[in-house]
């Protein structure tokens, strides 16, 4: 396939970060971010928020054998993800690529929205997509707003895009309201 000899080379570019889960709890977030990334020629990075653990790191550390810790960049290809035992996220990345998008993923070692904001800033993302059910929304907004640099116009604040669950995905008993189309 394309980029086989240089898997990290094709992962470069302006980033869009999507807050996703390994078990794909919010596919609408991934799809909204994918559409935006494709329309703007950006690299979609799936930030696998649920892989961070107190017990183990999702990535090899600096003590891993034969430089495994150095093998991976900060945007992981499906091959990297498979090697790390994360086939579910690798599958999500492959789906985006199969639909003509450019995608990679990241496995954060730290939990929480601070890790998301920090990663988006380091990646110079211009927008972050999150599910409307994200608990820490009020904490995330100022973190993304301050990640820009007022003195550096090439690095503006990161936009936050909150993605709603589509009406059709909500079970009728959970909604409580008759299905009304958003205007």
């Amino acid at each position: 396939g394309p980029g086989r000899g240089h898997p990290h080379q094709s992962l470069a570019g302006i980033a869009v970060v999507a807050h996703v889960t390994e078990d794909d709890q919010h596919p609408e977030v991934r799809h909204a971010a994918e559409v935006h990334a494709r329309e703007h020629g950006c690299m979609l990075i799936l930030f696998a928020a649920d892989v961070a653990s107190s017990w183990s790191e999702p990535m090899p550390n600096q003590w891993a054998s034969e430089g495994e810790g150095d093998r991976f960049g900060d945007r992981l290809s499906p091959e990297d993800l498979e090697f790390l035992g994360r086939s579910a996220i690798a599958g999500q990345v492959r789906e985006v690529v199969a639909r003509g998008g450019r995608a990679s993923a990241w496995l954060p070692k730290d939990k929480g929205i601070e890790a998301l904001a920090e990663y988006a800033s380091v990646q110079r993302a211009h927008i972050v997509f999150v599910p409307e059910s994200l608990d820490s929304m009020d904490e995330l907004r100022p973190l993304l707003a301050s990640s820009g640099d007022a003195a550096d116009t090439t690095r503006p604040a990161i936009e936050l895009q909150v993605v709603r669950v589509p009406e059709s995905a909500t079970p009728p008993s959970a909604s409580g309201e008759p299905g009304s189309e958003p205007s």
Side-chain angles (χ1 to χ4, degrees), residues 67-148:
E68 273 182 14
D70 300 329
R71 172 184 173 185
F72 304 101
D74 52 7
R75 296 180 182 186
L76 303 171
S77 70
E79 294 77 19
D80 294 336
L81 294 161
E82 291 288 354
F83 180 85
L84 293 166
R86 302 294 182 169
S87 58
I89 293 289
Q92 290 179 39
V93 171
R94 284 189 179 104
E95 284 179 32
V96 173
V97 172
R99 289 190 290 267
R102 294 175 51 235
S104 62
W106 182 243
L107 305 173
K109 69 179 177 82
D110 296 318
K111 290 183 177 209
I113 50 107
E114 292 87 2
L116 173 62
E118 168 78 16
Y119 181 76
S121 179
V122 167
Q123 293 302 308
R124 299 180 75 85
H126 71 103
I127 188 168
V128 172
F129 286 77
V130 298
E132 67 179 336
S133 61
L134 188 66
D135 292 336
S136 325
M137 201 77 68
D138 292 337
E139 297 167 45
L140 182 57
R141 286 181 198 282
L143 289 172
L144 293 177
S146 67
S147 65

Side-chain angles (χ1 to χ4, degrees), residues 28-29 32 130-133 161-167 169-170 177 182:
E28 66 278 1
V29 172
V130 298
E132 67 179 336
S133 61
Q161 180 66 48
V162 178
V163 181
R164 297 182 57 133
V165 177
E167 289 289 327
T170 307
E177 296 177 21

